[in-house]
Structure formats: C-alpha cells, structure tokens
Amino acid sequence: MIDKVLENLIRKETKRQKETINLIASENYVSPEVLKALGSVFTNKYAEGYPGKRYYGGNEVADELEKLVQERALKLFKCSSKTWSVNVQPYSGSPANIAVYLGLVPLGEKIMGLRLDMGGHLTHGHKASLSGKLWQPVYYGVNKKTEKLDYDEILALAKKEKPKLIVAGYTAYSRIIDFRKFKKIAEAAGAILMVDMSHFAGLVAAGVYPSPFSCADIVTTTTHKTLRGPRAAMIFSRKEFSERINKAVFPGVQGGPHLNQIAAIGVALDEASKPAFKKYARQVVRNAKTLAEELRKRGWRIVSGGTDTHLFLVDTFAAGVSGKEASEKLEQRGIIVNKNMIPYDSRNPQDPSGIRLGTAAVTTRGMKEKEMKKIAQLISDILFSNSKVKITKT
Ligand code: DSN
C-alpha cells in the first residue's frame, strides 16, 4: 500500500489474529474469496432501492448481484421462493432487527425478548437500544435452576402481555431452542415470531442445529459469525411481511446498500453450501462440547451444564475469579474471550461473573478435540493462580 501507516496497522492486526487464540463466540476468519469480494469495485456503487427499482443509473450488474445473492440465501436455508423473501441489504444485525420492528410493530407497542443479562441482545428490547426506546419491551428470562428457557413461563408471560412480536434466538445461550414451542407461544399471544439466528446461522445451514424456518414468520441473521461471511446481515420474511420489511430497511433505516458486502455474502453462502462447510460446522459443535467438558472436568462451572452449539458461558466467579479478571488474564497470555453476565448475575456488566467462549474461529483454523483439551488446560492454568477454590490441575 502507498499509505504505510494503514498498511502497518493491517499488518499488525494480521499478526495479532495469527498469534492469538480467538474464542470470541461471534467472530470467525473469512476466506480470501470473501475478502476479495469485500475489497471489490462494488464498493464504488450506489444502488438505493431494490433490483429493477433503483434511484440511480448504472445498476444492471448490481441488480444481477442482489438477485443472485437472494437466490443463494433462500436455497441455502431451504426456503421456497413462493413463501419466503430475503432482504440482503442490512448493514449489520442491529439495523436488521430495528428494521423488522419498524416494519411490523407500531411504535410504542410491545416487543418480547430474552433479557440481555440472561443471553439476549441489546436489540431485543434493551432500554439502551432503540428497540427498547421506541417500543415497549417485555422480558423473559431463563429458569434460575436449569439456566435454560422455561417455555411454560414464557407462554404465561406472552398470554398476559400480548406482545406484537416475540424474539427467539440469542447471543449467549448455549442450548437448542424449541422453535415449535415458540410458534405455539406466538400463536397463543397473537404475536409475530421473529428468530434472530445470528449466532447459529452457520450451524442451521449445515444441519447441525434445528432450522427455525418452518416455525418463524421472520428470521434475521448476521453473516459473520458461524456463517463465516462478511460483517453484514439478512432478513428472511414470509411473503406477507416482505414489502413492509423492504420499506423499513430502505428508506426506513438505511440508505444505499453496501454492494461489496452483498457480494461477499454471496461468496460466503456458496462456501456454506459445500460439504466441507458441513464438516466444519459439525466440528465447531464437537469442539465447543469438548472445551466445555474439559473445563468442567477441571472444576469450572459451565452455565446450564454444557452446550449444544458453538458457544457456552463459564461462571468463573464460582471459583472466585471475576469475568473481567479472567478475560484480562487470558488476553495477557494470548487467549481472547469476552467477559459476560451469567443468568441471575449479582455483579455488574463491567465486571460480571463469567466469560463467554466460542469455537467457530478456532475451528476455521483447523483445531479439533485435541487442541480443545490443550486450550482447556491453558485456560485452567492461567486462571488457576487467581482461583480461590480448588480447581483441578491435571
Ligand atoms: N456483539 C455480538 C456478539 O458478540 O454476540 C452480537 O451482536
């Protein structure tokens, strides 16, 4: 690059990514092909509107691109184009979720989602987000004992509160979600069911996590987590909702789509349709299960007892180590995680009781069960010195 300052930052970040173990559950490493599409000339083009209905000239290739990516998205998730549409323009997950509410829920009406401190997302109705300011949030939690969703409680709450829309799909919940139960809950409340599959989209694509499409009215997803694409998002909607969703994305929330991101989504969708991706996703889950189990064996408490997905929470404070302390100590030794609230946490978000670990990124680097055992031992050794209770040193 001519800009040596920038070139140096890119080089430094490349080195950092190579030399650390990335256990951030929402991150991954994209392929060189995805990077190529992101850095392509599509970044130069404005394409406000939708294929065939743009506000600027010169969009014949953009139209071809957007339609191709829509087709690939519907195909990958086995959605019939007779009943489903997909909007591939959202810049990322937060604007995608806000666009759904804007399109389908009158301002001030109720949106029901999982509490942030129990695994939900800011855009599922948290007061600090537009979703909790422009709409009235109703929160459900997880069961205190099992730390899993309690569908009877959620049903009772939904019947009482009658939200216009219910969100299922989270950022820090490690268990399989029963989408059929959520469909019944939404029907009982007369609500629209939106599944935010951002975290587990890649697992759904590979068939290692249940697909939400037969139950949901709307499915949102980011494309950069387990799906291993660019930082972007998509909104799938049943046809009856699609026009309202499209208007909410543009011009409701966004301006012109980032065509380079859309091109890169297209590359990632194609990659995710290949047998190698199925193998990858299976290994992601195996790795998470192994890592959780190996940490459990060494005395660390795993929230809800384990995982069915790519991620899980460790209650480090049960062993006397706060989440902040744990994440900082691990980072000093090259293991990158995030501190995280655990259900019914008595500590604060800046220094909560736990950490969240995920295996999507390390699996992309080719790591398997053997490496997970080593990582569990490393984590345990690094945190051992801070632990005030007995942690097994194996
Ligand atoms: N920040 C993402 C995560 O880490 O799960 C969600 O938006």
Side-chain angles (χ1 to χ4, degrees), residues 57-77:
N59 272 308
E60 65 274 17
V61 190
D63 282 5
E64 241 183 271
L65 169 73
E66 190 165 344
K67 283 193 276 186
L68 172 75
V69 177
Q70 287 170 334
E71 276 164 30
R72 284 187 181 180
L74 292 175
K75 190 163 171 219
L76 182 67
F77 291 101

Side-chain angles (χ1 to χ4, degrees), residues 26 121 171 199 225 356:
S26 47
H121 189 254
T171 60
H199 262 274
K225 299 183 173 90
R356 184 183 66 162

Side-chain angles (χ1 to χ4, degrees), residues 42 44-51 53-59 62-63 66 89 250 255-259 262:
F42 275 118
N44 298 334
K45 186 72 196 106
Y46 248 117
E48 286 182 357
Y50 291 98
K53 288 176 272 175
R54 307 281 188 188
Y55 290 83
Y56 294 75
N59 272 308
D63 282 5
E66 190 165 344
Q89 295 195 1
F250 172 81
H258 298 172
L259 292 175
I262 293 175

Side-chain angles (χ1 to χ4, degrees), residues 70-71 74 79-87 104 213 216-219 235-246:
Q70 287 170 334
E71 276 164 30
L74 292 175
C79 297
S80 157
S81 59
K82 289 198 181 84
T83 44
W84 286 90
S85 295
V86 60
N87 188 309
L104 306 183
F213 285 94
D217 300 303
I218 306 289
V219 178
I235 304 172
F236 295 83
S237 56
R238 290 193 182 269
K239 288 274 183 192
E240 62 203 276
F241 301 113
S242 305
E243 208 183 314
R244 282 186 278 162
I245 294 289
N246 286 345

Side-chain angles (χ1 to χ4, degrees), residues 5-286:
V5 180
L6 244 301
E7 185 175 46
N8 189 41
L9 287 180
I10 294 171
R11 192 188 51 75
K12 269 170 47 183
E13 176 60 9
T14 307
K15 185 169 182 293
R16 188 198 68 78
Q17 291 189 15
K18 274 197 180 137
E19 294 180 356
T20 51
I21 295 174
N22 183 5
L23 296 175
I24 303 270
S26 47
E27 294 182 7
N28 213 326
Y29 302 100
V30 298
S31 70
E33 300 291 302
V34 168
L35 282 181
K36 220 180 264 178
L38 270 176
S40 70
V41 292
F42 275 118
T43 201
N44 298 334
K45 186 72 196 106
Y46 248 117
E48 286 182 357
Y50 291 98
K53 288 176 272 175
R54 307 281 188 188
Y55 290 83
Y56 294 75
N59 272 308
E60 65 274 17
V61 190
D63 282 5
E64 241 183 271
L65 169 73
E66 190 165 344
K67 283 193 276 186
L68 172 75
V69 177
Q70 287 170 334
E71 276 164 30
R72 284 187 181 180
L74 292 175
K75 190 163 171 219
L76 182 67
F77 291 101
K78 301 186 175 62
C79 297
S80 157
S81 59
K82 289 198 181 84
T83 44
W84 286 90
S85 295
V86 60
N87 188 309
V88 296
Q89 295 195 1
Y91 301 149
S92 203
S94 296
N97 286 352
I98 297 296
V100 173
Y101 310 145
L102 187 69
L104 306 183
V105 185
L107 294 182
E109 290 284 357
K110 289 180 185 168
I111 290 171
M112 184 166 143
L114 181 65
R115 292 169 54 133
L116 181 71
D117 57 1
M118 297 207 188
H121 189 254
L122 280 166
T123 60
H124 296 175
H126 193 272
K127 277 289 180 197
S129 142
L130 269 187
S131 64
K133 291 184 196 293
L134 299 183
W135 293 276
Q136 196 184 326
V138 175
Y139 305 117
Y140 57 95
V142 294
N143 181 278
K144 195 165 186 179
K145 208 159 150 224
T146 61
E147 298 174 311
K148 295 179 186 169
L149 296 168
D150 180 332
Y151 296 96
D152 292 335
E153 251 182 47
I154 301 169
L155 174 64
L157 186 67
K159 277 181 167 169
K160 181 171 157 255
E161 296 286 348
K162 297 240 175 307
K164 289 276 181 271
L165 182 144
I166 298 176
V167 185
Y170 320 106
T171 60
Y173 184 74
S174 65
R175 297 305 187 168
I176 281 173
I177 300 163
D178 190 332
F179 295 120
R180 270 176 285 185
K181 284 194 178 148
F182 263 108
K183 183 177 162 68
K184 286 199 181 125
I185 292 169
E187 279 169 359
I192 292 166
L193 178 61
M194 168 179 136
V195 173
D196 180 345
M197 66 167 184
S198 293
H199 262 274
F200 49 86
L203 308 183
V204 171
V208 297
Y209 193 91
S211 170
F213 285 94
S214 61
C215 300
D217 300 303
I218 306 289
V219 178
T220 62
T221 184
T222 50
T223 50
H224 48 275
K225 299 183 173 90
T226 50
L227 194 54
R228 212 164 56 180
R231 305 192 76 85
M234 303 188 282
I235 304 172
F236 295 83
S237 56
R238 290 193 182 269
K239 288 274 183 192
E240 62 203 276
F241 301 113
S242 305
E243 208 183 314
R244 282 186 278 162
I245 294 289
N246 286 345
K247 279 193 183 139
V249 172
F250 172 81
V253 174
Q254 299 187 171
H258 298 172
L259 292 175
N260 57 323
Q261 282 183 321
I262 293 175
I265 296 175
V267 175
L269 292 170
D270 184 52
E271 289 174 354
S273 71
K274 303 281 193 282
F277 189 85
K278 285 194 173 53
K279 213 170 141 198
Y280 158 73
R282 271 198 297 272
Q283 191 63 49
V284 167
V285 177
R286 273 191 214 131

